[in-house]
Coordinates of all heavy atoms in Angstrom, one line a residue:
M1 N -4.4 23.7 -21.8 CA -4.7 22.3 -21.8 C -5.2 22.1 -23.3 O -5.8 22.8 -23.9 CB -5.8 22.1 -20.8 CG -6.2 20.7 -20.9 SD -7.2 20.3 -19.4 CE -8.9 20.9 -20.0
E2 N -4.8 20.7 -23.6 CA -5.3 20.3 -24.9 C -5.5 18.9 -25.1 O -4.7 18.0 -24.4 CB -4.0 20.7 -25.9 CG -4.0 20.2 -27.2 CD -2.7 20.5 -28.0 OE1 -1.8 21.1 -27.4 OE2 -2.6 20.1 -29.1
S3 N -6.5 18.4 -25.6 CA -6.9 17.1 -25.9 C -6.0 16.5 -27.0 O -5.7 17.2 -27.9 CB -8.3 16.8 -26.2 OG -9.1 17.1 -25.1
A4 N -5.6 15.2 -26.9 CA -4.8 14.6 -27.8 C -5.3 13.1 -28.0 O -5.8 12.6 -26.9 CB -3.3 14.7 -27.4
P5 N -4.9 12.5 -29.0 CA -5.2 11.0 -29.1 C -4.3 10.2 -28.1 O -3.2 10.7 -27.7 CB -4.8 10.6 -30.5 CG -4.5 12.0 -31.3 CD -4.3 13.0 -30.2
V6 N -4.8 9.2 -27.6 CA -4.1 8.3 -26.6 C -2.9 7.8 -27.3 O -3.0 7.3 -28.4 CB -4.9 7.2 -26.2 CG1 -4.1 6.2 -25.2 CG2 -6.3 7.6 -25.5
P7 N -1.7 8.1 -26.7 CA -0.4 7.7 -27.5 C -0.2 6.3 -27.4 O 0.8 5.9 -28.2 CB 0.5 8.6 -26.6 CG 0.0 8.7 -25.3 CD -1.5 8.8 -25.6
Y8 N -0.9 5.4 -26.8 CA -0.6 4.0 -26.6 C -1.8 3.2 -27.1 O -2.9 3.6 -26.8 CB -0.3 3.5 -25.2 CG 1.0 4.3 -24.7 CD1 0.8 5.3 -23.8 CD2 2.2 4.0 -25.2 CE1 1.8 6.1 -23.3 CE2 3.4 4.8 -24.8 CZ 3.2 5.8 -23.8 OH 4.2 6.5 -23.4
R9 N -1.6 2.1 -27.7 CA -2.7 1.2 -28.1 C -3.4 0.7 -26.9 O -4.6 0.6 -27.0 CB -2.1 0.1 -29.0 CG -3.1 -0.7 -29.8 CD -2.5 -1.6 -30.9 NE -1.4 -2.4 -30.4 CZ -1.6 -3.6 -29.9 NH1 -2.7 -4.0 -29.8 NH2 -0.6 -4.3 -29.5
K10 N -2.6 0.3 -26.0 CA -3.2 -0.2 -24.6 C -2.3 0.2 -23.5 O -1.1 0.5 -23.6 CB -3.2 -1.8 -24.7 CG -4.0 -2.3 -25.7 CD -4.1 -3.8 -25.6 CE -5.1 -4.4 -26.7 NZ -5.0 -5.7 -26.7
T11 N -3.0 0.5 -22.3 CA -2.3 0.8 -21.1 C -2.7 -0.1 -20.0 O -3.9 -0.4 -19.8 CB -2.6 2.3 -20.6 OG1 -2.2 3.2 -21.7 CG2 -1.7 2.7 -19.5
V12 N -1.8 -0.6 -19.3 CA -2.1 -1.5 -18.2 C -1.7 -0.8 -16.8 O -0.4 -0.4 -16.7 CB -1.3 -2.8 -18.2 CG1 -1.7 -3.8 -17.0 CG2 -1.5 -3.4 -19.5
F13 N -2.6 -0.4 -16.0 CA -2.3 0.1 -14.7 C -2.1 -1.0 -13.7 O -3.1 -1.6 -13.4 CB -3.3 1.0 -14.4 CG -3.7 2.3 -15.3 CD1 -4.4 2.2 -16.3 CD2 -2.7 3.4 -15.2 CE1 -4.6 3.3 -17.3 CE2 -3.0 4.5 -16.1 CZ -3.8 4.4 -17.1
V14 N -1.0 -1.0 -13.0 CA -0.8 -2.0 -12.0 C -0.5 -1.2 -10.6 O 0.3 -0.4 -10.6 CB 0.6 -2.6 -12.3 CG1 0.9 -3.8 -11.2 CG2 0.6 -3.3 -13.7
C15 N -1.4 -1.6 -9.7 CA -1.3 -1.0 -8.4 C 0.0 -1.4 -7.7 O 0.2 -2.6 -7.6 CB -2.5 -1.3 -7.5 SG -2.5 -0.6 -5.9
V16 N 0.8 -0.4 -7.4 CA 2.0 -0.8 -6.6 C 2.1 0.0 -5.3 O 3.1 0.2 -4.8 CB 3.3 -0.4 -7.5 CG1 3.4 -1.5 -8.7 CG2 3.3 1.0 -8.0
H17 N 0.8 0.4 -4.8 CA 0.7 0.9 -3.5 C 1.1 0.0 -2.4 O 0.8 -1.2 -2.5 CB -0.6 1.5 -3.3 CG -0.7 2.2 -2.2 ND1 -0.2 3.6 -2.0 CD2 -1.4 2.1 -0.9 CE1 -0.4 4.1 -0.9 NE2 -1.2 3.2 -0.2
S18 N 1.9 0.5 -1.4 CA 2.3 -0.3 -0.3 C 2.0 0.5 0.9 O 2.0 1.8 1.0 CB 3.7 -0.8 -0.4 OG 4.6 0.3 -0.3
R19 N 1.8 -0.2 2.1 CA 1.6 0.4 3.4 C 2.5 -0.2 4.4 O 2.8 -1.4 4.4 CB 0.1 0.3 3.8 CG -0.8 1.0 2.8 CD -2.2 1.0 3.5 NE -3.1 1.7 2.7 CZ -3.9 1.2 1.7 NH1 -4.0 -0.1 1.5 NH2 -4.7 1.9 1.0
E20 N 2.9 0.7 5.4 CA 3.6 0.2 6.5 C 2.9 0.2 7.8 O 3.5 -0.1 8.9 CB 5.0 0.9 6.7 CG 5.8 0.8 5.4 CD 7.1 1.7 5.5 OE1 7.3 2.4 6.5 OE2 7.9 1.6 4.7
D21 N 1.7 0.4 7.7 CA 0.8 0.4 9.0 C 0.0 -0.7 9.3 O -0.9 -0.7 10.1 CB -0.1 1.7 9.0 CG -1.2 1.5 7.8 OD1 -1.2 0.5 7.1 OD2 -1.9 2.5 7.6
G22 N 0.3 -1.9 8.5 CA -0.3 -3.1 8.7 C -1.6 -3.4 7.9 O -2.0 -4.5 7.9
R23 N -2.1 -2.4 7.3 CA -3.2 -2.5 6.3 C -2.7 -3.2 5.1 O -1.6 -2.9 4.4 CB -3.9 -1.2 6.0 CG -4.6 -0.7 7.3 CD -5.4 0.6 7.0 NE -4.6 1.5 6.5 CZ -4.7 2.7 5.7 NH1 -6.1 2.8 5.2 NH2 -4.0 3.5 5.4
V24 N -3.6 -4.0 4.5 CA -3.3 -4.6 3.2 C -3.1 -3.7 2.1 O -3.8 -2.6 2.0 CB -4.5 -5.7 2.9 CG1 -5.7 -5.1 2.5 CG2 -4.0 -6.8 1.9
A25 N -2.2 -4.0 1.2 CA -1.9 -3.2 0.0 C -1.4 -4.1 -1.1 O -0.6 -5.0 -0.7 CB -1.1 -2.0 0.3
C26 N -1.6 -3.8 -2.3 CA -1.2 -4.6 -3.5 C 0.3 -4.8 -3.6 O 0.7 -6.0 -4.0 CB -1.6 -4.0 -4.7 SG -3.4 -3.9 -4.9
A27 N 1.2 -3.9 -3.1 CA 2.6 -4.1 -3.1 C 3.2 -4.3 -1.8 O 4.5 -4.1 -1.6 CB 3.2 -2.9 -3.9
N28 N 2.5 -4.6 -0.8 CA 3.1 -4.9 0.5 C 4.0 -6.3 0.3 O 3.7 -7.0 -0.7 CB 2.0 -5.2 1.5 CG 1.4 -4.0 2.3 OD1 1.8 -3.0 1.9 ND2 0.5 -4.2 3.1
P29 N 4.9 -6.4 1.1 CA 5.8 -7.6 1.0 C 5.1 -8.9 0.9 O 4.1 -9.1 1.7 CB 6.6 -7.5 2.2 CG 6.6 -6.1 2.7 CD 5.3 -5.6 2.2
G30 N 5.3 -9.7 -0.1 CA 4.6 -11.0 -0.3 C 3.3 -10.9 -1.2 O 2.8 -11.9 -1.5
R31 N 2.9 -9.7 -1.4 CA 1.7 -9.5 -2.3 C 1.8 -9.7 -3.7 O 1.0 -10.1 -4.5 CB 0.9 -8.2 -1.9 CG 0.3 -8.2 -0.5 CD -1.0 -9.0 -0.3 NE -1.8 -8.5 -1.4 CZ -3.1 -8.3 -1.1 NH1 -3.6 -8.3 0.1 NH2 -3.9 -7.9 -2.1
G32 N 3.0 -8.9 -4.2 CA 3.3 -9.2 -5.5 C 3.1 -8.1 -6.6 O 3.5 -8.1 -7.7
G33 N 2.6 -6.9 -6.1 CA 2.4 -5.8 -7.0 C 3.5 -5.3 -7.8 O 3.5 -5.2 -9.0
E34 N 4.5 -5.0 -7.1 CA 5.8 -4.7 -7.7 C 6.4 -5.7 -8.6 O 7.0 -5.3 -9.7 CB 7.0 -4.3 -6.6 CG 6.7 -2.9 -6.0 CD 7.2 -1.8 -6.9 OE1 7.7 -2.0 -8.0 OE2 6.9 -0.6 -6.5
E35 N 6.4 -6.9 -8.2 CA 6.9 -8.0 -9.0 C 6.1 -8.2 -10.3 O 6.7 -8.4 -11.5 CB 6.7 -9.3 -8.4 CG 7.9 -9.5 -7.1 CD 7.3 -8.8 -5.8 OE1 6.3 -8.1 -5.8 OE2 8.0 -8.8 -4.9
I36 N 4.7 -8.0 -10.3 CA 3.9 -8.0 -11.4 C 4.3 -7.0 -12.4 O 4.5 -7.1 -13.6 CB 2.4 -7.9 -11.1 CG1 2.1 -9.2 -10.4 CG2 1.6 -7.8 -12.4 CD1 0.7 -9.0 -9.6
L37 N 4.4 -5.8 -11.9 CA 4.9 -4.6 -12.6 C 6.1 -4.9 -13.6 O 6.2 -4.6 -14.7 CB 4.9 -3.3 -11.8 CG 5.3 -2.1 -12.6 CD1 4.1 -1.3 -13.2 CD2 6.2 -1.1 -11.6
K38 N 7.1 -5.2 -12.7 CA 8.5 -5.5 -13.3 C 8.4 -6.5 -14.3 O 9.1 -6.3 -15.4 CB 9.6 -5.8 -12.1 CG 9.9 -4.5 -11.4 CD 11.0 -5.0 -10.4 CE 11.2 -3.7 -9.5 NZ 11.6 -4.1 -8.1
A39 N 7.8 -7.7 -13.9 CA 7.8 -8.8 -15.0 C 6.9 -8.4 -16.2 O 7.4 -8.7 -17.3 CB 7.2 -10.0 -14.3
L40 N 5.9 -7.7 -16.0 CA 5.0 -7.3 -17.2 C 5.8 -6.3 -18.1 O 5.8 -6.4 -19.3 CB 3.8 -6.6 -16.6 CG 2.6 -6.8 -17.6 CD1 2.3 -8.0 -18.2 CD2 1.3 -6.3 -16.8
K41 N 6.5 -5.3 -17.5 CA 7.3 -4.3 -18.3 C 8.2 -5.1 -19.1 O 8.5 -4.8 -20.2 CB 8.0 -3.5 -17.4 CG 7.2 -2.2 -17.0 CD 7.9 -1.3 -16.1 CE 7.2 -0.1 -15.8 NZ 7.2 1.0 -16.9
A42 N 9.0 -6.1 -18.5 CA 10.1 -6.8 -19.1 C 9.5 -7.7 -20.3 O 10.0 -7.8 -21.4 CB 10.7 -7.7 -18.1
E43 N 8.4 -8.4 -20.1 CA 7.7 -9.1 -21.1 C 7.2 -8.3 -22.1 O 7.3 -8.7 -23.4 CB 6.5 -10.0 -20.5 CG 7.0 -11.1 -19.5 CD 8.1 -12.0 -20.2 OE1 7.8 -12.5 -21.3 OE2 9.0 -12.3 -19.6
V44 N 6.8 -7.1 -22.0 CA 6.2 -6.2 -22.9 C 7.3 -5.8 -23.9 O 7.3 -5.8 -25.0 CB 5.5 -5.0 -22.5 CG1 5.3 -3.9 -23.3 CG2 4.1 -5.5 -21.9
K45 N 8.5 -5.5 -23.3 CA 9.6 -5.1 -23.9 C 10.2 -6.3 -24.9 O 10.4 -6.1 -26.1 CB 10.8 -4.6 -23.0 CG 11.9 -4.1 -23.6 CD 12.9 -3.5 -22.6 CE 14.1 -2.8 -23.3 NZ 15.1 -2.3 -22.4
K46 N 10.2 -7.4 -24.2 CA 10.7 -8.6 -24.9 C 9.8 -9.0 -26.2 O 10.2 -9.5 -27.2 CB 10.7 -9.9 -23.9 CG 11.6 -10.9 -24.3 CD 11.6 -12.2 -23.6 CE 11.7 -11.9 -22.0 NZ 11.5 -13.3 -21.3
A47 N 8.5 -8.8 -26.0 CA 7.5 -9.1 -27.0 C 7.5 -8.0 -28.2 O 6.8 -8.0 -29.1 CB 6.3 -9.1 -26.5
G48 N 8.4 -6.9 -27.9 CA 8.4 -5.9 -29.0 C 7.3 -4.9 -28.9 O 6.9 -4.3 -30.0
L49 N 6.5 -4.9 -27.9 CA 5.5 -4.0 -27.7 C 5.7 -2.7 -27.0 O 4.8 -1.8 -27.0 CB 4.3 -4.8 -26.9 CG 3.7 -6.0 -27.6 CD1 2.9 -6.8 -26.5 CD2 2.9 -5.6 -28.8
K50 N 6.9 -2.4 -26.7 CA 7.2 -1.1 -26.2 C 6.9 0.0 -27.1 O 7.1 -0.1 -28.4 CB 8.7 -1.1 -25.8 CG 8.8 0.0 -24.8 CD 10.4 0.0 -24.3 CE 10.6 1.0 -23.3 NZ 11.8 1.5 -23.1
G51 N 6.1 1.0 -26.6 CA 5.7 2.1 -27.4 C 4.3 1.9 -27.9 O 3.6 2.9 -28.3
Q52 N 3.8 0.6 -27.9 CA 2.4 0.4 -28.3 C 1.6 0.1 -26.9 O 0.4 0.5 -26.8 CB 2.3 -0.9 -29.1 CG 3.0 -0.8 -30.4 CD 2.9 -2.1 -31.1 OE1 1.8 -2.8 -31.2 NE2 4.0 -2.7 -31.4
V53 N 2.3 -0.6 -26.0 CA 1.6 -1.0 -24.7 C 2.4 -0.3 -23.6 O 3.6 -0.5 -23.5 CB 1.6 -2.6 -24.5 CG1 1.0 -2.8 -23.2 CG2 0.8 -3.3 -25.6
R54 N 1.7 0.5 -22.8 CA 2.3 1.1 -21.6 C 1.9 0.4 -20.3 O 0.7 0.2 -20.1 CB 1.8 2.6 -21.6 CG 2.3 3.3 -20.3 CD 3.7 3.7 -20.5 NE 4.2 4.4 -19.3 CZ 5.4 4.6 -19.0 NH1 6.4 4.0 -19.8 NH2 5.8 5.3 -17.9
V55 N 2.9 -0.1 -19.6 CA 2.7 -0.6 -18.3 C 2.9 0.5 -17.3 O 4.2 1.0 -17.2 CB 3.5 -1.9 -18.1 CG1 3.2 -2.4 -16.6 CG2 3.4 -2.9 -19.2
A56 N 2.0 0.9 -16.7 CA 2.1 2.1 -15.8 C 1.9 1.7 -14.2 O 1.0 1.0 -14.0 CB 1.1 3.1 -16.2
R57 N 2.6 2.4 -13.4 CA 2.4 2.3 -12.0 C 1.1 3.0 -11.7 O 1.0 4.1 -12.1 CB 3.5 2.9 -11.2 CG 4.9 2.5 -11.6 CD 6.0 3.2 -10.8 NE 6.1 2.9 -9.6 CZ 7.0 1.9 -9.1 NH1 7.6 1.1 -10.0 NH2 7.0 1.6 -7.9
S58 N 0.4 2.3 -10.7 CA -0.8 3.0 -10.2 C -0.8 3.1 -8.7 O -0.2 2.2 -8.1 CB -2.0 2.2 -10.7 OG -3.2 2.7 -10.0
G59 N -1.3 4.2 -8.3 CA -1.5 4.3 -6.8 C -2.7 3.4 -6.5 O -3.3 2.6 -7.2
C60 N -3.1 3.5 -5.1 CA -4.2 2.6 -4.7 C -5.5 2.8 -5.5 O -5.8 4.0 -5.8 CB -4.4 3.0 -3.2 SG -5.8 2.1 -2.5
L61 N -6.0 1.8 -5.8 CA -7.3 1.7 -6.6 C -8.6 1.5 -5.8 O -9.6 1.3 -6.3 CB -7.1 0.7 -7.9 CG -6.0 1.0 -8.8 CD1 -5.7 -0.2 -9.7 CD2 -6.4 2.2 -9.7
D62 N -8.2 1.4 -4.5 CA -9.4 1.3 -3.4 C -10.1 0.0 -3.3 O -11.2 0.0 -2.8 CB -10.3 2.5 -3.6 CG -11.0 2.9 -2.3 OD1 -10.3 2.6 -1.2 OD2 -12.1 3.5 -2.3
L63 N -9.4 -1.0 -3.9 CA -10.0 -2.4 -3.6 C -8.9 -3.3 -3.1 O -8.8 -4.3 -3.6 CB -10.7 -3.0 -4.9 CG -11.8 -2.2 -5.4 CD1 -12.4 -2.6 -6.8 CD2 -13.0 -2.4 -4.4
C64 N -8.2 -2.8 -2.1 CA -6.8 -3.4 -1.6 C -7.1 -4.8 -1.3 O -6.1 -5.6 -1.5 CB -6.5 -2.6 -0.5 SG -6.5 -0.8 -0.7
E65 N -8.2 -5.1 -0.5 CA -8.3 -6.6 -0.2 C -8.3 -7.5 -1.3 O -8.1 -8.8 -1.1 CB -9.6 -6.7 0.7 CG -9.4 -6.1 2.1 CD -9.5 -4.7 2.1 OE1 -9.9 -4.1 1.1 OE2 -9.2 -4.0 3.2
Q66 N -8.8 -7.1 -2.5 CA -9.0 -7.9 -3.7 C -7.7 -8.0 -4.5 O -7.5 -8.7 -5.4 CB -10.1 -7.5 -4.6 CG -11.4 -7.5 -3.8 CD -12.5 -6.8 -4.6 OE1 -12.4 -6.8 -6.0 NE2 -13.6 -6.4 -4.1
G67 N -6.6 -7.2 -4.1 CA -5.6 -7.2 -4.9 C -4.5 -8.3 -4.9 O -4.9 -9.3 -4.2
P68 N -3.5 -8.2 -5.7 CA -3.1 -7.1 -6.4 C -4.1 -6.8 -7.5 O -4.5 -7.9 -8.2 CB -1.7 -7.5 -7.0 CG -1.1 -8.5 -6.0 CD -2.4 -9.2 -5.5
N69 N -4.3 -5.6 -7.8 CA -5.2 -5.1 -8.8 C -4.6 -4.5 -10.1 O -3.5 -3.7 -9.9 CB -6.2 -4.2 -8.2 CG -7.1 -4.8 -7.2 OD1 -7.8 -5.6 -7.5 ND2 -7.0 -4.2 -6.1
L70 N -5.2 -4.8 -11.2 CA -4.7 -4.2 -12.4 C -5.8 -3.8 -13.2 O -6.9 -4.3 -13.1 CB -4.0 -5.2 -13.4 CG -2.7 -5.8 -13.0 CD1 -2.8 -6.9 -12.0 CD2 -1.9 -6.3 -14.2
F71 N -5.7 -2.7 -14.0 CA -6.8 -2.1 -14.8 C -6.3 -2.0 -16.3 O -5.2 -1.5 -16.6 CB -7.3 -0.8 -14.4 CG -8.4 -0.2 -15.2 CD1 -9.6 -0.8 -15.2 CD2 -8.1 0.9 -15.9 CE1 -10.7 -0.2 -15.9 CE2 -9.1 1.5 -16.8 CZ -10.3 0.9 -16.7
L72 N -7.0 -2.7 -17.2 CA -6.7 -2.7 -18.7 C -7.4 -1.7 -19.4 O -8.7 -1.6 -19.4 CB -6.8 -4.1 -19.3 CG -6.3 -5.2 -18.6 CD1 -6.4 -6.5 -19.4 CD2 -4.8 -5.1 -18.1
F73 N -6.8 -0.7 -20.1 CA -7.4 0.3 -20.9 C -7.0 0.2 -22.3 O -5.8 0.0 -22.6 CB -6.9 1.7 -20.3 CG -7.4 2.9 -21.2 CD1 -8.7 3.4 -20.9 CD2 -6.7 3.4 -22.2 CE1 -9.1 4.5 -21.6 CE2 -7.2 4.4 -22.9 CZ -8.4 4.9 -22.7
P74 N -7.8 0.3 -23.2 CA -9.1 0.7 -23.1 C -10.2 -0.4 -23.0 O -11.4 -0.2 -23.0 CB -9.4 1.4 -24.6 CG -8.4 0.5 -25.5 CD -7.2 0.1 -24.6
A75 N -9.7 -1.7 -22.7 CA -10.6 -2.8 -22.6 C -11.6 -2.6 -21.5 O -12.7 -3.0 -21.5 CB -9.9 -4.1 -22.4
G76 N -11.3 -1.9 -20.5 CA -12.1 -1.7 -19.3 C -12.2 -2.9 -18.5 O -13.1 -3.1 -17.7
E77 N -11.0 -3.7 -18.5 CA -11.1 -5.0 -17.8 C -10.4 -4.8 -16.5 O -9.2 -4.3 -16.5 CB -10.5 -6.1 -18.6 CG -10.5 -7.5 -18.0 CD -10.1 -8.6 -18.9 OE1 -9.7 -8.4 -20.1 OE2 -9.9 -9.7 -18.4
W78 N -10.9 -5.2 -15.4 CA -10.3 -5.3 -14.1 C -9.9 -6.6 -13.8 O -10.5 -7.7 -13.9 CB -11.4 -4.8 -13.0 CG -11.0 -4.5 -11.7 CD1 -10.7 -5.4 -10.7 CD2 -10.5 -3.3 -11.2 NE1 -10.2 -4.8 -9.7 CE2 -10.1 -3.4 -9.9 CE3 -10.5 -2.0 -11.8 CZ2 -9.6 -2.4 -9.1 CZ3 -10.0 -0.9 -11.0 CH2 -9.6 -1.1 -9.6
I79 N -8.5 -6.6 -13.3 CA -8.0 -8.0 -12.9 C -7.7 -7.9 -11.5 O -7.0 -6.9 -11.0 CB -6.6 -8.2 -13.6 CG1 -6.7 -8.0 -15.1 CG2 -6.1 -9.6 -13.3 CD1 -7.6 -9.2 -15.9
R80 N -8.2 -8.8 -10.7 CA -8.0 -8.7 -9.2 C -7.3 -10.0 -8.9 O -7.4 -11.0 -9.4 CB -9.2 -8.5 -8.5 CG -10.2 -9.6 -8.7 CD -11.5 -9.3 -8.0 NE -12.5 -10.4 -8.2 CZ -13.7 -10.3 -7.9 NH1 -14.3 -9.2 -7.4 NH2 -14.5 -11.4 -8.0
G81 N -6.6 -10.1 -7.6 CA -6.0 -11.3 -7.1 C -4.9 -11.7 -8.1 O -4.7 -13.0 -8.1
A82 N -4.2 -10.8 -8.8 CA -3.2 -11.3 -9.7 C -1.8 -11.7 -9.0 O -1.7 -11.4 -7.8 CB -2.8 -10.2 -10.7
S83 N -1.1 -12.5 -9.6 CA 0.2 -12.9 -9.0 C 1.3 -12.8 -10.1 O 0.9 -12.8 -11.4 CB 0.2 -14.2 -8.5 OG 0.3 -15.2 -9.5
P84 N 2.5 -12.9 -9.8 CA 3.6 -12.8 -10.9 C 3.5 -14.0 -11.7 O 3.7 -13.9 -12.9 CB 4.9 -12.9 -10.0 CG 4.5 -12.1 -8.7 CD 3.1 -12.6 -8.4
A85 N 2.9 -15.0 -11.2 CA 2.7 -16.3 -12.2 C 1.7 -16.0 -13.3 O 1.6 -16.8 -14.2 CB 2.2 -17.5 -11.3
D86 N 0.8 -15.0 -13.1 CA -0.2 -14.7 -14.1 C 0.3 -13.8 -15.4 O -0.3 -13.6 -16.2 CB -1.4 -13.9 -13.5 CG -2.1 -14.9 -12.5 OD1 -2.3 -15.9 -12.7 OD2 -2.4 -14.2 -11.4
V87 N 1.7 -13.5 -15.2 CA 2.2 -12.4 -16.2 C 2.1 -13.0 -17.6 O 1.7 -12.3 -18.5 CB 3.6 -12.0 -15.8 CG1 4.3 -11.4 -17.0 CG2 3.6 -11.2 -14.6
P88 N 2.4 -14.3 -17.9 CA 2.2 -14.7 -19.4 C 0.7 -14.6 -19.7 O 0.5 -14.3 -20.9 CB 2.7 -16.3 -19.1 CG 3.5 -16.3 -18.0 CD 3.0 -15.3 -17.0
E89 N -0.2 -14.9 -19.0 CA -1.6 -14.7 -19.4 C -1.9 -13.3 -19.5 O -2.6 -12.9 -20.4 CB -2.5 -15.5 -18.3 CG -3.9 -15.6 -18.7 CD -4.8 -16.2 -17.7 OE1 -4.3 -16.9 -16.9 OE2 -6.0 -16.0 -17.7
L90 N -1.4 -12.5 -18.6 CA -1.6 -11.0 -18.8 C -1.2 -10.5 -20.1 O -1.7 -9.7 -20.7 CB -1.1 -10.3 -17.7 CG -1.7 -10.5 -16.3 CD1 -0.9 -9.9 -15.1 CD2 -3.1 -9.7 -16.3
L91 N 0.1 -11.0 -20.5 CA 0.8 -10.6 -21.7 C -0.1 -10.9 -22.8 O -0.3 -10.1 -23.9 CB 2.1 -11.1 -21.9 CG 2.9 -10.6 -23.0 CD1 3.1 -9.1 -22.9 CD2 4.2 -11.4 -23.3
K92 N -0.7 -12.2 -22.9 CA -1.5 -12.6 -24.0 C -2.8 -11.6 -24.0 O -3.1 -11.2 -25.1 CB -2.1 -14.0 -23.7 CG -1.2 -15.1 -24.1 CD -1.8 -16.4 -24.0 CE -0.8 -17.4 -23.7 NZ -1.3 -18.6 -23.2
K93 N -3.3 -11.3 -22.9 CA -4.5 -10.3 -22.8 C -4.2 -9.0 -23.6 O -4.9 -8.4 -24.3 CB -4.8 -10.0 -21.5 CG -5.9 -11.1 -20.9 CD -6.2 -10.6 -19.6 CE -7.1 -11.7 -18.9 NZ -8.4 -11.7 -19.5
I94 N -3.0 -8.4 -23.3 CA -2.7 -7.1 -23.8 C -1.9 -7.1 -25.1 O -1.9 -6.2 -25.8 CB -1.7 -6.4 -22.7 CG1 -0.5 -7.1 -22.4 CG2 -2.5 -6.1 -21.5 CD1 0.4 -6.3 -21.3
A95 N -1.4 -8.2 -25.5 CA -0.8 -8.3 -26.9 C -1.8 -8.4 -28.0 O -1.4 -8.1 -29.1 CB 0.3 -9.5 -26.9
G96 N -3.0 -8.9 -27.6 CA -3.9 -9.2 -28.7 C -4.5 -8.0 -29.2 O -4.4 -6.8 -28.8
Ligands
FES1 S1 -3.2 -0.9 -2.5 FE1 -3.9 -1.7 -4.4 S2 -6.0 -1.2 -4.5 FE2 -5.4 -0.4 -2.7

């Protein structure tokens, strides 16, 4: 094992966990987790930030009822209740 510098300027973890047992989850149908991830990845690429900003899939972050949830690193900012319509604002947050 070896420590190394963080390879990205920023990382956005987007919860894309889904469930089929009726319990709420960020990427259940109609919740938007997967759509947010795909749109954010596309916008990061379009903005020329690929390689600097990593948009990563996350498993359950354990605040499912408040989701869809995102976590911005290294800002330490938690975004809850996001929707695909928030992607332009999210991009502004991570592009700065
Ligand atoms: S499913 Fe997203 S926080 Fe649990």
Side-chain angles (χ1 to χ4, degrees):
M1 183 171 79
E2 166 184 5
S3 290
V6 177
Y8 304 106
R9 195 164 54 81
K10 295 183 180 177
T11 304
V12 185
F13 296 94
V14 182
C15 179
V16 291
H17 187 69
S18 65
R19 296 187 174 96
E20 295 179 358
D21 62 3
R23 290 184 298 154
V24 68
C26 296
N28 278 359
R31 292 282 306 228
E34 280 285 352
E35 291 81 359
I36 293 167
L37 178 89
K38 283 183 189 148
L40 205 49
K41 275 183 174 284
E43 291 301 316
V44 162
K45 189 174 178 182
K46 206 188 303 179
L49 295 169
K50 197 168 180 211
Q52 299 174 53
V53 174
R54 174 76 181 159
V55 180
R57 307 173 75 84
S58 167
C60 179
L61 298 164
D62 208 23
L63 291 169
C64 318
E65 286 76 13
Q66 299 176 17
N69 292 300
L70 292 80
F71 178 70
L72 311 186
F73 176 85
E77 186 173 355
W78 187 272
I79 309 287
R80 63 186 183 189
S83 80
D86 296 321
V87 167
E89 189 179 339
L90 289 166
L91 185 67
K92 277 188 207 160
K93 280 182 181 290
I94 59 181

